[in-house]
């Protein structure tokens, strides 16, 4: 995946997105899947920002997808 371009989009399940966004809001902007509140766990978390392969973030709010073309 070294030369693959990825785009970030929200999960296609609008109910799941609404549920997770509320959980993030309730957690003061931090990923609801993380125990510790640090700059690295602020949504969009560092782990997802640095993810170099396609797939979802921990909580499933965001998804990285391969850009074709």
């Amino acid at each position: 995946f070294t030369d693959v371009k990825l785009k970030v989009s929200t999960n296609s399940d609008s109910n799941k997105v609404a549920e997770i966004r509320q959980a993030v809001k309730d957690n003061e902007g931090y990923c609801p899947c993380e125990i510790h509140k640090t700059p690295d766990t602020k949504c969009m978390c560092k782990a997802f920002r640095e993810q170099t392969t396609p797939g979802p973030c921990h909580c499933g709010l965001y998804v990285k997808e391969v850009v074709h073309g």
Side-chain angles (χ1 to χ4, degrees):
F1 288 108
T2 55
D3 292 335
V4 172
K5 293 188 192 285
L6 300 173
K7 72 173 184 170
V8 175
S9 57
T10 54
N11 189 310
S12 59
D13 182 338
S14 59
N15 290 330
K16 183 174 181 103
V17 167
E19 182 180 306
I20 297 169
R21 283 197 169 142
Q22 185 61 52
V24 169
K25 183 179 178 182
D26 293 345
N27 203 32
E28 301 171 352
Y30 293 90
C31 179
C33 299
E34 297 290 339
I35 294 171
H36 302 288
K37 293 181 180 178
T38 70
D40 290 347
T41 62
K42 193 82 163 174
C43 186
M44 172 181 304
C45 69
K46 181 179 180 181
F48 184 68
R49 291 191 314 266
E50 294 180 351
Q51 181 176 310
T52 58
T53 57
C57 66
H58 291 287
C59 63
L61 177 59
Y62 296 106
V63 180
K64 284 192 178 181
E65 300 171 315
V66 175
V67 176
H68 297 284

